[in-house]
């Protein structure tokens, strides 16, 4: 594991991802659930045993009418920032001190700009199965998704409102910072097609920037990107020349990125769409969180945007529980015959109810063991930051995104098979183009209505459930993990194909 940039702390002479995860979860629970905190601290097999502790944090957050979630989030973030480090070969400081200490790359970044020459899309359309749904066709698809339980009705309502207000799409007066500009689930392509002004940040890898710059050049929008000092910034030259010097490393060059974003004319929307494999995911997510805190400290015009993974634990509305209960009580003829036998031979582990009937709220546990504790922590800290920032008066857009066939998912054979078989259990897996455009439309709605919808603070779980596109995980008849193994078996042939 690399020992420079944003790094895990040393514990007993080594930088342990499990020790960090165990400690942060215990600290998050300590104030509201001391017993749960003690259990997390004593967990000896974190890589397999983390599931129950991540569920427990959501359960504890429902105390005090859901207000305990704010305490869990603040405590978890404080613990992460005090434990994670920012290091060079010569020195090491706590993460929060990275911006004042002489750590990481401090070579100033400059700005290059790509102004697209394409025609602006003046209304919302959604790519799906090789077509583009628009107008009444898109409204009918939203109705089908609601009827199938693939998303919450509030999500469909928000998209319909964007359809009624196409003037919202260009986000005039804002710059949207897309951290993870090349990410499949990011909104960069959709925002540029709508004529928005986008700031792209991703690793200094020419292959990423060749693709991103090509998208921007053919769009109706404007893309600003960081380039290394002395790389002839300004209006973009040839794509290959620009791509060779573009990009910034959040893990190793965090202070320079903060300085660069601080100088941009605002208002800014700081969008977190980063992803990396394994432990690096926690490192880059911690870097983004530190960057968010620093920009909120330096500027008063910053909003935050996130995509929550559906494979996590969420409190869900009574209506979702009732939908799931109806589905459990009315199985298909084949399932009605096979379900008792499957439950018997598995000792009750297969095809368990998603919720106890009447639960309000219900607790949906869609954590996938194969994704591991580092992925769970990286995604959970984003939800924590959204909770804390919203409570502190910051404009926040956090939406649950659907299961999607991204490259990072389908390269895992078990997950690819599970996704291929998921439709047998009422789960819809989306294509990346459909997902990222749909989620970009929800981002637009959140930003354009943030002033008009201000009011008393809602319990965090209610805010997270609003507008969720979960692909059916919240409304399926069965606890997702109790159907996962069957989905893998049923999807093996399709995944190979």
């Amino acid at each position: 594991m690399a020992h420079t940039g944003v790094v895990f702390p040393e514990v007993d002479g080594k930088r342990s991802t499990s020790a960090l995860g165990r400690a942060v979860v215990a600290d998050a629970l300590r104030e509201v659930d001391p017993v749960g905190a003690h259990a997390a601290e004593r967990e000896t097999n974190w890589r397999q045993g983390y599931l129950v502790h991540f569920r427990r944090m959501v359960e504890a957050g429902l105390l005090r009418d859901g207000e305990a979630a704010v305490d869990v989030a603040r405590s978890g973030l404080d613990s992460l920032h005090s434990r994670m480090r920012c290091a060079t070969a010569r020195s090491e400081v706590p993460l929060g001190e990275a911006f004042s200490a002489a750590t990481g790359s401090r070579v100033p970044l400059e700005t290059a700009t790509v102004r697209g020459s394409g025609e602006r899309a003046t209304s919302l359309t959604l790519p799906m199965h090789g077509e583009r749904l628009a107008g009444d066709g898109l409204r009918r698809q939203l109705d089908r998704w609601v009827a199938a339980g693939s998303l919450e009705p509030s999500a469909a309502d928000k998209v319909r409102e964007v359809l009624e207000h196409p003037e919202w799409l260009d986000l005039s007066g804002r710059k949207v910072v897309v951290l993870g500009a090349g990410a499949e689930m990011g909104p960069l392509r959709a925002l540029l097609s709508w004529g928005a002004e986008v700031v792209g940040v991703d690793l200094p890898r020419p292959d990423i920037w060749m693709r991103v710059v090509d998208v921007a050049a053919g769009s109706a929008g404007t893309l600003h990107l960081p380039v290394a000092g002395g790389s002839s910034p300004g209006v973009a030259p040839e794509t290959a020349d620009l791509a060779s010097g573009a990009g910034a490393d959040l893990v190793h060059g965090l202070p320079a990125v903060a300085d660069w974003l601080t100088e941009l004319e605002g208002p800014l929307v700081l969008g977190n769409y980063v992803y990396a494999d394994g432990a690096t995911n926690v490192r880059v997510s911690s870097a983004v969180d530190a960057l968010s805190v620093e920009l909120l400290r330096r500027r008063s015009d910053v909003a935050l945007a996130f995509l929550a993974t559906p494979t996590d634990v969420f409190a869900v509305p009574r209506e979702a529980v009732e939908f799931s209960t109806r589905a459990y009580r009315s199985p298909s003829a084949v399932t009605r015959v096979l379900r008792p036998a499957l439950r018997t031979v598995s000792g009750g582990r297969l095809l368990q109810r998603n919720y106890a009937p009447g639960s309000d709220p219900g607790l949906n546990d869609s954590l996938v063991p194969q994704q591991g504790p580092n992925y769970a922590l990286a995604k959970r800290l984003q939800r924590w930051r959204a909770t804390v920032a919203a409570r502190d008066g910051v404009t926040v857009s956090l939406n649950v995104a659907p299961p999607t066939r991204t490259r990072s998912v389908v390269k895992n054979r078990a997950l690819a098979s599970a996704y291929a078989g998921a439709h047998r259990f009422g789960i819809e897996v989306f294509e990346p183009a459909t997902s990222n455009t749909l989620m970009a439309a929800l981002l637009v709605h959140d930003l354009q209505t943030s002033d008009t919808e201000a009011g008393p603070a809602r319990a965090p779980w209610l805010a997270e459930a609003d507008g969720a596109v979960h692909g059916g995980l919240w409304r399926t008849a069965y606890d997702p993990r109790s159907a996962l193994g069957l989905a893998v078996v049923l999807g093996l042939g399709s995944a190979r194909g």
Side-chain angles (χ1 to χ4, degrees):
M1 186 185 300
H3 297 327
T4 60
V6 177
V7 297
F8 291 88
E10 281 195 17
V11 178
D12 297 329
K14 62 179 182 179
R15 300 186 188 273
S16 168
T17 61
S18 293
L20 183 280
R22 190 164 45 233
V24 169
V25 170
D27 287 344
L29 283 166
R30 200 171 312 282
E31 181 178 342
V32 299
D33 183 3
V35 174
H38 185 65
E41 286 177 320
R42 293 176 62 84
E43 178 62 64
T44 58
N45 186 8
W46 187 251
R47 293 186 184 279
Q48 279 74 47
Y50 75 95
L51 298 167
V52 66
H53 306 292
F54 274 78
R55 177 186 176 104
R56 192 154 185 167
M57 285 190 290
V58 177
E59 291 174 323
L62 294 175
L63 299 173
R64 304 198 309 272
D65 295 327
E67 285 302 294
V70 180
D71 296 329
V72 170
R74 288 194 194 277
S75 298
L77 291 170
D78 288 347
S79 178
L80 182 89
H81 281 250
S82 68
R83 294 175 185 278
M84 290 294 285
R85 319 300 286 177
C86 193
T88 67
R90 296 182 302 276
S91 64
E92 184 172 306
V93 297
L95 180 60
E97 298 178 20
F99 305 97
S100 56
T103 59
S105 170
R106 209 72 182 206
V107 177
L109 295 168
E110 297 174 344
T111 304
T113 299
V114 181
R115 302 191 190 282
S117 58
E119 184 176 349
R120 187 172 81 85
T122 57
S123 61
L124 176 62
T125 63
L126 190 69
M128 188 173 179
H129 303 321
E131 302 180 9
R132 292 202 74 93
L133 303 180
D136 288 341
L138 178 50
R139 292 183 180 90
R140 287 191 292 272
Q141 180 58 50
L142 292 170
D143 291 340
R144 286 192 287 270
W145 275 329
V146 170
S150 298
L151 45 67
E152 291 307 287
S154 54
D157 291 342
K158 289 182 176 184
V159 177
R160 292 188 191 101
E161 196 169 357
V162 175
L163 276 169
E164 297 300 321
H165 293 277
E167 70 278 6
W168 286 355
L169 292 175
D170 69 356
L171 291 175
S172 295
R174 294 181 175 90
K175 288 186 176 75
V176 181
V177 181
V178 179
L179 302 175
E184 284 186 274
M185 287 297 291
L188 181 136
R189 185 182 294 269
L191 294 177
L192 288 172
S193 75
W194 299 330
E197 194 169 2
V198 175
V199 179
V201 179
D202 214 315
L203 290 167
R205 283 176 38 191
D207 59 316
I208 293 175
W209 290 105
M210 287 284 290
R211 178 164 39 91
V212 171
V213 170
D214 277 343
V215 168
S219 76
T222 300
L223 173 69
H224 306 290
L225 57 149
V227 294
S231 300
S232 301
V235 176
E238 294 297 323
T239 297
D241 294 336
L242 180 58
S244 66
D249 188 333
L250 287 163
V251 169
H252 294 94
L254 188 55
V257 177
D259 292 344
W260 180 66
L261 292 176
T262 298
E263 296 303 316
L264 293 179
E265 295 182 3
L268 296 182
V269 180
L270 189 67
N272 184 351
Y273 306 99
V274 300
Y275 172 79
D277 289 333
T280 305
N281 202 15
V282 177
R283 296 174 68 198
V284 70
S285 295
S286 298
V288 171
D289 196 62
L291 176 65
S292 304
V293 172
E294 183 67 10
L295 286 180
L296 288 170
R297 184 186 70 80
R298 295 183 185 184
R299 304 180 57 141
S300 60
D301 60 351
V302 176
L304 301 180
F306 307 89
L307 291 182
T309 177
T311 52
D312 201 342
V313 183
F314 293 92
V316 307
R318 174 175 51 82
E319 293 79 6
V321 174
E322 292 173 347
F323 190 108
S324 171
T325 300
R326 289 194 298 270
Y328 187 87
R329 290 172 175 167
S330 304
S332 67
V334 173
T335 303
R336 185 178 293 109
V337 172
L338 292 179
R339 188 166 68 190
L342 288 169
R343 288 189 51 74
T344 297
V345 300
S346 68
R349 290 187 299 274
L350 290 177
L351 300 185
Q352 299 174 16
R353 283 179 180 271
N354 210 350
Y355 312 99
S359 300
D360 185 14
L363 202 69
N364 179 265
D365 185 350
S366 295
L367 283 165
V368 176
Q370 288 85 347
Q371 291 182 308
N374 290 318
Y375 179 82
L377 180 59
K379 297 305 294 185
R380 188 65 65 88
L381 73 89
Q382 294 174 19
R383 290 170 62 188
W384 287 346
R385 179 57 60 196
T387 292
V388 169
R391 190 53 56 94
D392 290 343
V394 176
T395 296
V396 172
S397 171
L398 179 138
N399 290 297
V400 178
T404 304
R405 291 185 183 87
T406 60
R407 288 185 294 271
S408 64
V409 168
V410 298
K411 71 182 182 182
N412 182 304
R413 184 177 177 184
L415 288 178
S417 298
Y419 274 23
H423 66 281
R424 309 284 187 129
F425 302 97
I427 309 301
E428 180 170 358
V429 179
F430 287 53
E431 294 303 319
T434 305
S435 282
N436 61 43
T437 305
L438 185 61
M439 303 317 290
L442 291 173
L443 170 64
V444 165
H445 179 276
D446 293 345
L447 296 175
Q448 297 288 21
T449 61
S450 60
D451 294 332
T452 59
E453 293 187 353
R458 294 184 297 168
W461 79 265
L462 288 169
E464 291 180 336
D466 187 26
V469 186
H470 44 71
L473 287 167
W474 292 9
R475 292 180 174 238
T476 182
Y478 305 110
D479 171 274
R481 279 206 303 281
S482 76
L484 179 65
L486 290 175
V488 169
V489 172
L490 293 170
L492 274 173
S494 299
R496 289 196 189 101

